[in-house]
Amino acid sequence: MSGHSKWHNIRLRKGAQDAKRGNLFTKLAREIIIAAKTGGGNPETNTRLRLAIQKAREHSMPQENIRRSIMRGTGELEGEAYEEVTYEGYGPGGVAILVECATDNRNRTVANLRSIFSKHGGRIGESGSVAYRFRPIGLIVIPRTAVEEDRLFALAIEAGAEDMRTDEENYEIVTQPEDFAKVRQAIEDAGIPMLRAEYTMEPLDLVHLEGKEAQQMLRLLERLEEDDDVQHVYANFDIADEVLEASEG
């Protein structure tokens, strides 16, 4: 499991987003808007929208907010016109970083990102500078207490999964993007609870960080994730588990 994936799991477990619920609802709403805009307002036929709605419900986003976000995406309600933009950059120690944004003002977004990167030992890169160091995957995370490993492995592979990994707490099922919906549905049909299920970017190589560079990287990641325009951040760092745990108090 990459350092960023471990970082994400720690933040979920400790509820780091709860203190920023307004910020979180903004990000969830924008994902729903863009999903509805690109694939239509029916979650039965729009997998991305269905996942966005499920994530919003998991975080107790009001149903009315969800409904209005869908209608804004389909054009039934007026609102800001968001577009998806991905920025690439470097963190401390040469870590590769992808930042996926949903914005209604590119100039504001890139100015904010440049400031965040520069204040925390990083810099914005050119388009294509680091994207080749990641690959798109489907990722499903399941607690180890929820199911026996052999049963889950057989179910996932039969449904089309590429691989299954384990750590002390969770199983991680990896799929090709086109197989994700089918594998997720098979796990759901089997009644196995999932901590998260999402399309994501997996690093193809890792950069080990420690000491000052590790702390700088974690602060940079936090600041990027706090920006309203930022939807997802992917980075190929590898930082010791005890450092990740300590960073969240």
Side-chain angles (χ1 to χ4, degrees):
M1 194 189 307
S2 73
H4 184 269
S5 185
K6 286 184 283 191
W7 164 256
H8 189 86
N9 288 341
I10 289 168
R11 286 171 69 80
L12 283 177
R13 185 173 70 248
K14 296 188 175 180
Q17 291 284 11
D18 288 349
K20 311 184 187 82
R21 187 161 297 276
N23 171 276
L24 177 60
F25 283 179
T26 296
K27 295 177 186 290
L28 293 170
R30 290 188 188 185
E31 173 61 19
I32 293 171
I33 290 168
I34 290 176
K37 178 181 178 181
T38 57
N42 183 357
E44 295 300 318
T45 56
N46 184 343
T47 301
R48 180 176 177 180
L49 178 61
R50 183 164 68 252
L51 289 173
I53 292 172
Q54 288 171 341
K55 186 173 182 179
R57 288 172 175 163
E58 288 167 4
H59 289 281
S60 303
M61 186 174 181
Q63 184 62 34
E64 179 62 17
N65 293 32
I66 295 173
R67 186 185 70 84
R68 291 178 63 84
S69 296
I70 295 172
M71 294 177 70
R72 286 174 62 187
T74 57
E76 297 171 80
L77 283 180
E78 291 187 2
E80 294 85 352
Y82 294 110
E83 61 176 326
E84 292 181 285
V85 189
T86 298
Y87 296 95
E88 303 176 39
Y90 299 91
V95 168
I97 302 174
L98 292 180
V99 186
E100 294 181 350
C101 299
T103 179
D104 59 347
N105 186 327
R106 284 194 183 207
N107 291 334
R108 178 196 66 226
T109 300
V110 73
N112 288 345
L113 294 186
R114 286 188 191 281
S115 175
I116 294 170
F117 269 92
S118 66
K119 288 179 180 177
H120 300 283
R123 62 183 174 88
I124 291 282
E126 300 294 328
S127 178
S129 58
V130 303
Y132 69 93
R133 298 171 72 177
F134 298 83
R135 68 165 185 146
I137 62 167
L139 179 66
I140 301 168
V141 181
I142 295 168
R144 291 189 63 168
T145 54
V147 61
E148 292 182 357
E149 183 172 355
D150 290 347
R151 179 192 172 206
L152 181 60
F153 179 80
L155 175 68
I157 295 301
E158 184 177 347
E162 174 184 292
D163 192 16
M164 188 175 87
R165 308 161 186 169
T166 63
D167 64 16
E168 295 85 355
E169 298 179 355
N170 302 315
Y171 303 113
E172 283 196 342
I173 296 171
V174 178
T175 79
Q176 290 294 313
E178 61 270 21
D179 297 323
F180 172 75
K182 181 174 61 174
V183 176
R184 186 191 188 285
Q185 190 63 53
I187 293 170
E188 190 174 272
D189 290 346
I192 299 170
M194 292 170 273
L195 291 176
R196 58 189 173 107
E198 61 192 5
Y199 294 103
T200 187
M201 299 294 287
E202 179 180 61
L204 298 175
D205 67 293
L206 296 175
V207 176
H208 181 71
L209 297 180
E210 55 187 34
K212 180 181 177 181
E213 287 186 331
Q215 296 300 330
Q216 273 189 313
M217 182 65 230
L218 296 179
R219 284 195 295 271
L220 170 58
L221 191 62
E222 281 189 32
R223 298 302 176 267
L224 288 171
E225 291 181 338
E226 287 170 1
D227 189 280
D228 282 350
D229 292 341
V230 173
Q231 293 294 97
H232 306 285
V233 183
Y234 309 109
N236 70 338
F237 65 81
D238 179 51
I239 295 174
D241 290 4
E242 56 267 25
V243 177
L244 294 175
E245 293 278 356
S247 71
E248 287 295 294

